[in-house]
Amino acid sequence: MASPLAGIAAIWATLVEVISQGVFKAHVQIFGIKVGLRVALFTIKIGAIVIVINLLYSSVSTLFDTIVVTLPPMLGDGIERILPGNFIACLSAIIGVKAVAFLFAIYTKLISLFLSDF
């Protein structure tokens, strides 16, 4: 583990030495390396968040698929009279809006994560 760190430190030291001599190309190369590393870090962060969202979605969808409720016949008839015929579509729209709000919050956090790298 020490050898890669020592190699990176040696590369960094030579780059700093070249910059101290006033070579503009080295400045541009270091800037490119830093931007590349920041983009890679940002991609890792987005990947982690996407994995968490997929895991949450799969667990919640599995949970909702396994729920089975048996009601007495009269109670079931009463609920059918109270609930509208498109209750599932209405509930899906409400949950969809909540998901969009959640994703917007994550989107703003992703922007702050990306800007924190710079």
Side-chain angles (χ1 to χ4, degrees):
M1 187 69 183
S3 62
L5 292 176
I8 292 172
I11 291 171
W12 186 257
T14 50
L15 287 175
V16 169
E17 182 180 334
V18 169
I19 288 176
S20 65
Q21 294 173 359
V23 179
F24 180 73
K25 184 179 176 184
H27 287 288
V28 174
Q29 288 176 345
I30 288 179
F31 178 74
I33 291 170
K34 288 171 79 175
V35 168
L37 289 175
R38 288 180 179 153
V39 168
L41 180 63
F42 181 67
T43 306
I44 290 170
K45 289 177 184 179
I46 288 177
I49 291 174
V50 166
I51 288 171
V52 168
I53 290 172
N54 283 335
L55 288 174
L56 285 174
Y57 173 75
S58 65
S59 63
V60 168
S61 67
T62 305
L63 178 68
F64 281 137
D65 289 341
T66 58
I67 293 176
V68 176
V69 178
T70 306
L71 297 174
M74 292 184 73
L75 184 59
D77 291 339
I79 289 175
E80 285 179 6
R81 292 175 191 223
I82 293 171
L83 294 178
N86 60 353
F87 176 71
I88 299 297
C90 184
L91 187 63
S92 297
I94 291 171
I95 291 174
V97 169
K98 294 275 187 183
V100 167
F102 175 70
L103 290 176
F104 181 73
I106 287 179
Y107 175 72
T108 56
K109 287 182 183 180
L110 283 177
I111 290 174
S112 66
L113 279 175
F114 185 70
L115 292 178
S116 69
D117 289 339
F118 287 101

